[in-house]
Structure formats: structure tokens, C-alpha cells
Amino acid sequence: MRRIKSNIDTHSVQFHTYERHNLTLIDKLCVSQQKARFERPERDIRRLRKQKKLLVRERIDLLLDPETPFMELSTLAANMAYDGTVPSAGVVSGIGIVNGREILVMASDSSIKGGAWYPLTVKKMVRTLDIAIENHLPMIHLVDAAGAFLPLQSGLFPDRHMAGRMFRNQCVLSAMGVQQVALVLGHSTAGGAYVPTLCDYSIMVRHTGGVFLGGPPLVKAATGEEVTADELGGADVHTTVSGTADYAVDSEQEGLALVREIVGTFPRKTKIALEKRESEEPYYDPKELYGIIPDDVKKQFDIRDVIARIVDGSRFHEFKPAYGTTAVCGFAFLYGWKVGIIGNNGVLFSDSAQKCTQFMQICNRDRIPIIFLQNISGFMIGKAYEHGGITKDGAKMLMVQANLDVPKLTIMTNGSFGAGNYAMCGRAYDARFLYSWPNSQISVMGMEQAIKTLTQIRLKSLQRQGKTLSNDEKEKIIQNIADDYMEKSSAYYSTSELWDDGIIDPANTRKVLGISLSAALNREFSETPNGVLRI
């Protein structure tokens, strides 16, 4: 493969302007992540220490193999919800190495409302279990949760993808032969009692761990029976009387060591056999991405310059380079694994959609995972393009992309608007993993078009009511619409609502994709690939 020739001038004024802008965004990201991970009210920390409990990330540190990476998912979930009082949506999830095995960890954060489940907590837990199913990743559940946050119970209990989906997903994992281990470090109440009970192995910590469908206060209220938590559903009860749990331990440290021991009995997984070669660092420095990504989502850049700072040796074989030039397709290697890459250099026309569709068929037949690098304003609109079949060609791209059997990984590098988000494997299209850069924006259309449309609707509505507005009042309406639209199209809002699996530093994209690809290669491909149809 040829090395990409990147013509970026790292000494130019533009480069340094973009670099300063993006480093400011990275500083904000680091501060936000640090706050979500570690800032807790002192009273909550004292409460846990009094109970001889570790903080959630202390538990994870003891669980993981020393000096191995932990790729945390959705660190900033719920950052713009619940007045910021439920950092990381109250649960920590991520991929790490435990006793030499690749494991997905999901851990309650009991420093936040005792680990209570909010609607976005449940959404994050369901997504974590989906990742386990999609990638056949064994799971460790560190359970310390007070159950549903009752004032918001209607937003987390009854619907298809709410709390019941967690237990359904655990059942599906078991049927797939994917191992699950639970360590109960606190109370696991009501529906939460099923989390450890549906695992293959269940460990409970004496005197702090408890599993019961109704806790002592509810039992007293419902039946009049007075019983302590230990008598009702403590570790010794469930390991010697009911058989609900398998092991009782005297401390969290002992329990975490036992989890590691159990995981050590799991058979080591063999990755899917992809074309593999020796890994090679990119020829171009990934940190140069700070000077490549513009300071305005409307400004364009060449996606090849991004590819050059992600893939092995900055080498890339481009497919159909002279056709459909607003889409860039081609083959590269990532940490030695062969991958297909589809990126955007502008709006999708019929020819670029056709090229992407043909390329995806080749990747699917030849068992090559695909990385989507989104910077897309959508499909081209207008009379000539409709007559030329843009909707039909877009539908072909959607049809093939939705039915790919190979792993799909998506990075939102800049703008992600309208049906372009769908075609480039947005959230609805089952990317195994999807990440945002801090500069990225996502919405049904670009901000300027949306503001004009929404403003016209608002002003016409007021006119129909007989109201006459001054220019200042009109400007205030426009500004309010713009502020709201910007906020809700931002990467921080996206990640707060779990529309992605986390905001990442662009310079770490290669590492994040490498861990994600490694996880995705635990699942076998279909045995019936399709032939390639030239579109």
C-alpha cells in the first residue's frame, strides 16, 4: 500500500489557529472527564469508607491486570441531565484485561444516590449489555445499587428497552455461552436482585452485600415481619440456605481477587482470522490532528489527512479514487489488522453513494471490518439530483450498510447531519462502537438551515396570533433558537443522552479503534457472504 502524501503545513497560521482551538476543546474534555470520574461530595465518600467500601474506580483498579489499559465507555453520560448530579449516569462501564482475558466491566457507583438507577443509568446498562452481546464479550458485574430512583420510575421501568431489557440481555448472553460473573458489594434490591442471579458465578461480600426482591423496610410494610438485611438476603443466607449465590467473602478485596481467579478459568478466545501483518505506527503524528480539524463545522478538510494519522504506516490503498470523489474508500491496516475505511470529503452524491455501496459489498464478502469516519452534511438535494436517482442510490447504500455482517466502527469527526448520519453508520445502524470527537455536531440538518426554518415557523405562528415584533424581539427569538439548537447538537449533549459510546481525544482515535476492533473480533462472521454487485 502507498503512504498517503499529506500536504499539511504544520507551521502555517491556519494550522496553529485550528490547533489552539482544538486544544481548548481537549482541555474542556479532560476537565469534564476528571470531574465525572472523581469529584464526589465528601459526605458520600465518608459514608462509603464507614461501610468499609471502596470507591467504584478503586474496585476496577484492583480487578484489572496491572499496567493494562481500561477503555471506559460513555464517561460523560448524563452530563447534561439531572442538573449534573448523576455523573457517568451512576455506572462505570468499559473494556479491560482481567487475568489475561478481554472483559467488559459494568460497575455501580454507590457514591451517587447509593447507586440508584436513573433512566439514563438503565440506558447505559442496556447499551453495555448490548456491547457484550454484539461482540461476545464476557462480563463482570460489580453490583452495589439501591434500585430504581422512584421519582423517575416511569422513565426506566416499563418499556421495551428499559430495565427489563437488562435482564433479558443477561439471559441472551447466557444462551450464547458468554460468561458472566457478579460480585455483590452492596444491596441488590427488587429487579436489581436478578443481576447477580442471572450470572454464571455470583459472589457476595458478608455484611454489606445483600440480594432481595424487597428490602427490610418493604418487607415490614407489606407483611409486618421484622428482619435485618443479613437475615433476609445476606451472603451467608444465599450461599448456605437458598443457593442463590455461590461464594461468600469477608472483604471487597477478597471478592475482587476471587473474580480474577474465576475469570482465569475461562477459555482463552481465539480472534477471528483476518489478514494480519506486523503493526506499524503512523508515519504522521496523530497529534497533528489538532491542527487539521477546523474551528468551524462548516469548514472542510481532507479526510485522507485524518486517515494518515490513524492507520499503520499512514499507508492506504484508495478504491475508485477518481469516481465519487466526495467519498473516500479504501483499505489500510490498523494494529496489523486489515480494515476498510469510508470517509467523507463533502456531501454524498449518487456516484459517491454508489462507490461506497460497492466497496462495502467487497469488504463484507472478503471479511474486512469497516471504519466509518463521519463528516457528512447529508445527501445532495435538488431537482437534477432527484431525477438522477439520489434517493434510490442513497437507499442502496443504506440497504447494504444495514445488512453488513462484518464489524462496523464509527467516528464522528466533525458534522453528522440528516440521512448522511444514517448512511455513514450512525447510532441506529448498529455500529459495534461509535465515538464522537469533542468538536462534532449531530442534528437532522445543519445549524444555519435549521435556525432559518425554525425562526420562520415561530414568526409565522406569532403573526397568525396578531402579534407584531420589533427587530430586537426577532433577534432574541433567533438567538434563543440558535443557542438551543447548538446545545442539543453538541457532542456533549449526544454523549449525555448516550447517542455515542463516548467523546474521545482525536489524538487517541487509533488506540480507541484498536481496542474496539480487538473486542469486535471475538464474534464469528456469517457463513453465507453475498457476492459483489457493481452498482
Side-chain angles (χ1 to χ4, degrees):
M1 293 182 182
R2 297 178 184 176
R3 178 171 292 142
I4 293 173
K5 185 177 180 180
S6 180
N7 295 315
I8 296 295
D9 181 359
T10 58
H11 300 290
S12 69
V13 172
Q14 177 178 282
F15 184 92
H16 289 299
T17 300
Y18 290 175
E19 185 179 49
R20 284 192 297 272
H21 173 77
N22 285 303
L23 286 174
T24 300
L25 296 183
I26 296 305
D27 287 345
K28 177 186 175 183
L29 176 63
C30 291
V31 169
S32 299
Q33 290 178 332
Q34 180 77 5
K35 182 178 179 180
R37 287 170 177 156
F38 300 111
E39 289 190 15
R40 298 291 183 274
E42 188 60 36
R43 66 180 183 277
D44 292 320
I45 295 175
R46 285 199 303 268
R47 169 176 55 82
L48 295 177
R49 297 303 189 204
K50 187 176 180 180
Q51 296 171 350
K52 297 183 179 180
K53 288 184 176 183
L54 300 171
L55 301 179
V56 63
R57 285 178 173 81
E58 293 173 340
R59 292 165 173 171
I60 292 172
D61 286 344
L62 288 174
L63 180 66
L64 300 175
D65 290 358
E67 298 182 5
T68 59
F70 177 65
M71 189 177 77
E72 187 173 342
L73 301 167
S74 300
T75 305
L76 298 179
N79 78 91
M80 295 176 70
Y82 318 124
D83 296 320
T85 60
V86 191
S88 298
V91 64
V92 179
S93 60
I95 299 170
I97 306 298
V98 177
N99 218 328
R101 278 76 170 172
E102 208 167 39
I103 297 289
L104 186 57
V105 179
M106 185 162 69
S108 309
D109 188 345
S110 54
S111 70
I112 304 168
K113 303 289 187 182
W117 294 349
Y118 286 68
L120 286 173
T121 312
V122 169
K123 188 174 182 179
K124 184 172 178 178
M125 294 173 78
V126 170
R127 171 58 186 155
T128 303
L129 285 154
D130 282 341
I131 289 171
I133 290 171
E134 292 164 0
N135 301 286
H136 292 198
L137 280 173
M139 282 200 67
I140 294 171
H141 304 258
L142 302 183
V143 184
D144 189 357
F149 183 66
L150 290 178
L152 299 179
Q153 63 85 27
S154 64
L156 61 88
F157 172 70
D159 209 352
R160 181 180 180 187
H161 292 285
M162 292 183 179
R165 192 74 174 185
M166 294 189 302
F167 315 131
R168 174 265 185 193
N169 280 0
Q170 284 191 265
C171 296
V172 169
L173 279 171
S174 183
M176 291 167 59
V178 178
Q179 300 94 338
Q180 297 179 79
V181 183
L183 173 59
V184 182
L185 302 137
H187 288 178
S188 188
T189 311
Y194 291 111
V195 173
T197 311
L198 290 169
C199 289
D200 305 304
Y201 305 91
S202 182
I203 306 163
M204 295 182 65
V205 179
R206 288 189 176 94
H207 309 307
T208 57
V211 173
F212 21 66
L213 294 179
L218 183 58
V219 169
K220 184 175 181 180
T223 69
E225 181 183 12
E226 292 193 8
V227 61
T228 67
D230 257 358
E231 293 169 335
L232 181 64
D236 289 322
V237 166
H238 282 316
T239 54
T240 64
V241 179
S242 73
T244 299
D246 307 308
Y247 309 90
V249 294
D250 292 319
S251 68
E252 295 195 2
Q253 291 85 346
E254 184 184 350
L256 292 163
L258 183 54
V259 171
R260 289 180 48 79
E261 183 179 334
I262 290 170
V263 171
T265 69
F266 293 175
R268 294 182 183 273
K269 292 206 170 189
T270 303
K271 301 289 184 185
I272 295 169
L274 294 185
E275 184 177 344
K276 191 91 188 294
R277 61 175 60 173
E278 188 174 344
S279 178
E280 182 183 0
E281 288 299 307
Y283 177 77
Y284 300 102
D285 186 350
K287 290 185 178 179
E288 291 176 358
L289 288 169
Y290 300 142
I292 293 170
I293 304 307
D295 54 3
D296 188 326
V297 75
K298 296 189 295 295
K299 296 179 181 178
Q300 283 299 309
F301 58 93
D302 191 340
I303 201 69
R304 296 175 187 86
D305 288 320
V306 174
I307 296 169
R309 288 156 181 84
I310 292 175
V311 301
D312 290 5
S314 303
R315 301 180 190 281
F316 184 60
H317 173 78
E318 189 166 346
F319 175 72
K320 283 195 170 198
Y323 184 79
T325 55
T326 61
V328 175
C329 304
F331 301 106
F333 285 83
L334 183 76
Y335 288 99
W337 281 302
K338 188 175 183 179
V339 295
I341 297 177
I342 300 176
N344 304 120
N345 265 354
V347 67
L348 284 167
F349 293 92
S350 281
D351 56 359
S352 44
Q354 291 165 4
K355 178 168 77 171
C356 292
T357 302
Q358 184 181 350
F359 180 73
M360 287 189 291
Q361 290 182 94
I362 292 171
C363 289
N364 205 52
R365 184 199 62 189
D366 295 346
R367 300 300 190 246
I368 301 170
I370 301 176
I371 295 169
F372 293 85
L373 300 176
Q374 286 197 7
N375 177 27
I376 181 65
S377 55
F379 287 94
M380 192 62 193
I381 60 174
K383 179 179 177 180
Y385 303 103
E386 290 295 350
H387 288 191
I390 186 67
T391 304
K392 175 182 63 177
D393 292 321
K396 291 175 188 174
M397 186 174 174
L398 286 174
M399 182 67 74
V400 170
Q401 188 263 105
N403 288 289
L404 291 171
D405 188 56
V406 296
K408 300 181 289 187
L409 309 175
T410 300
I411 305 289
M412 295 202 294
T413 69
N414 203 38
S416 180
F417 302 119
N421 170 273
Y422 300 160
M424 289 294 294
C425 198
R427 192 57 146 179
Y429 284 80
D430 297 327
R432 299 286 190 89
F433 297 92
L434 185 152
Y435 306 100
S436 300
W437 283 356
N439 57 292
S440 66
Q441 294 179 22
I442 179 171
S443 59
V444 73
M445 65 176 72
M447 186 180 73
E448 288 185 358
Q449 303 94 313
I451 291 171
K452 287 178 183 178
T453 303
L454 291 169
T455 300
Q456 288 172 2
I457 292 170
R458 176 70 173 148
L459 293 178
K460 286 181 179 178
S461 174
L462 291 170
Q463 287 171 2
R464 285 194 296 270
Q465 297 171 33
K467 295 181 180 179
T468 303
L469 301 178
S470 67
N471 288 334
D472 286 345
E473 289 173 325
K474 290 179 181 177
E475 285 299 321
K476 187 175 181 180
I477 288 173
I478 293 170
Q479 190 59 51
N480 289 339
I481 290 171
D483 290 345
D484 183 68
Y485 203 83
M486 275 298 292
E487 177 182 293
K488 291 182 179 175
S489 63
S490 72
Y492 283 86
Y493 190 83
S494 287
T495 207
S496 181
E497 294 295 311
L498 287 143
W499 297 344
D500 61 23
D501 295 314
I503 302 176
I504 63 171
D505 182 337
N508 290 334
T509 301
R510 171 179 166 82
K511 295 176 183 177
V512 170
L513 285 172
I515 294 172
S516 302
L517 181 60
S518 176
L521 295 180
N522 288 312
R523 172 179 159 186
E524 292 291 339
F525 295 142
S526 164
E527 295 297 323
T528 55
N530 295 318
V532 175
L533 174 65
R534 184 175 293 274
I535 300 297

